[in-house]
Amino acid sequence: MAKRPRQQRILSYGEFRPTGVDDSISRRMQALAGLGETVAGVAEQFGKAKATELAPEQAFEDVRKAKEEGTELKKKNPFAWGASTYNATLQKAVVDSKELDFAEQASRIAIENPTDVIAFDRLIAEQAKVTLSNVQPEFEGHVRRRVELIAANTSAKIYGQQVSRNMEEANQLSISNIESAQSDMLRAANSGLVDQSQEMYDDISL
């Protein structure tokens, strides 16, 4: 009689393993987010570079308009793009413009008073007040230094010209006095006033 095969006990069951979750969408979203940040960073760098590049031209244009229209100039917020370059250019443009205007007036006053340092100093002081009267407080210190330097240098030139003129006039006067004294001495000698003529000669020789 045939024997049935011996049955074996099932000792363990296989674990349930769910199929893997598709995370491709998540990876794509992360990639897009990273790309967006990169694009934003590049755009910001480009914007800052462009703002810095255009800042000087904008500052000069604002100074020109302010001079023509009499409007007030304002520096940019330090955190704004290109602010550092704009503010530095703006300040230089304002100071240079005021310096040029004052230098032109100083030259005019010097031409009108080439050898009168007292008159020049009085007029240049009045002009300095006019120049500084319409300068905004944030630029006044820089403009004042330029104004004072121009006034001092031009005044020194006027003083030198005045001294030269005074010396020339003094020399001319001395020569004229000597010539006059010589004429008087000759007249006295021709008139037989020998002693008087000698005294005149001694005075001239001193």
Side-chain angles (χ1 to χ4, degrees), residues 9-186:
R9 294 176 60 189
I10 298 176
L11 300 177
S12 62
Y13 295 94
E15 296 180 4
F16 173 75
R17 297 180 180 273
T19 57
V21 178
D22 185 4
D23 60 353
S24 59
I25 296 177
S26 177
R27 288 197 301 271
R28 285 198 297 270
M29 292 300 292
Q30 291 177 353
L32 288 173
L35 179 61
E37 291 177 359
T38 301
V39 171
V42 171
E44 181 177 356
Q45 291 178 0
F46 177 80
K48 288 181 178 179
K50 194 64 177 177
T52 301
E53 178 185 348
L54 297 177
E57 181 180 351
Q58 182 184 355
F60 284 123
E61 179 64 17
D62 289 346
V63 171
R64 184 190 66 78
K65 285 184 178 180
K67 189 174 182 179
E68 291 179 355
E69 302 172 5
T71 55
E72 184 176 342
L73 290 164
K74 293 182 179 180
K75 289 185 175 181
K76 286 190 174 183
N77 186 308
F79 298 103
W81 289 356
S84 177
T85 301
Y86 176 88
N87 292 340
T89 306
L90 184 73
Q91 177 172 298
K92 187 178 187 306
V94 169
V95 175
D96 288 351
S97 176
K98 291 296 182 181
E99 178 185 21
L100 180 60
D101 291 346
F102 183 76
E104 290 177 351
Q105 295 302 318
S107 178
R108 176 186 60 79
I109 296 172
I111 292 173
E112 294 172 354
N113 302 273
T115 56
D116 190 345
V117 70
I118 294 177
F120 174 83
D121 286 346
R122 175 176 56 80
L123 293 171
I124 202 66
E126 294 175 359
Q127 182 60 48
K129 289 181 180 179
V130 173
T131 299
L132 294 170
S133 64
N134 59 352
V135 177
Q136 294 175 216
E138 58 265 43
F139 307 121
E140 183 177 353
H142 299 280
V143 175
R144 182 180 297 278
R145 284 191 288 273
R146 300 280 186 91
V147 164
E148 290 176 350
L149 182 60
I150 292 172
N153 289 341
T154 311
S155 180
K157 291 179 181 179
I158 299 295
Y159 176 75
Q161 292 171 182
Q162 179 174 315
V163 170
S164 297
R165 189 198 67 173
N166 290 345
M167 291 181 63
E168 183 179 351
E169 290 179 350
N171 290 335
Q172 290 296 327
L173 181 61
S174 177
I175 292 171
S176 177
N177 290 338
I178 291 174
E179 291 175 348
S180 178
Q182 287 175 338
S183 297
D184 292 342
M185 180 186 69
L186 290 175

Side-chain angles (χ1 to χ4, degrees), residues 184-198:
D184 292 342
M185 180 186 69
L186 290 175
R187 280 195 298 270
N190 292 332
S191 300
L193 302 173
V194 178
D195 291 341
Q196 184 177 352
S197 176
Q198 184 62 45

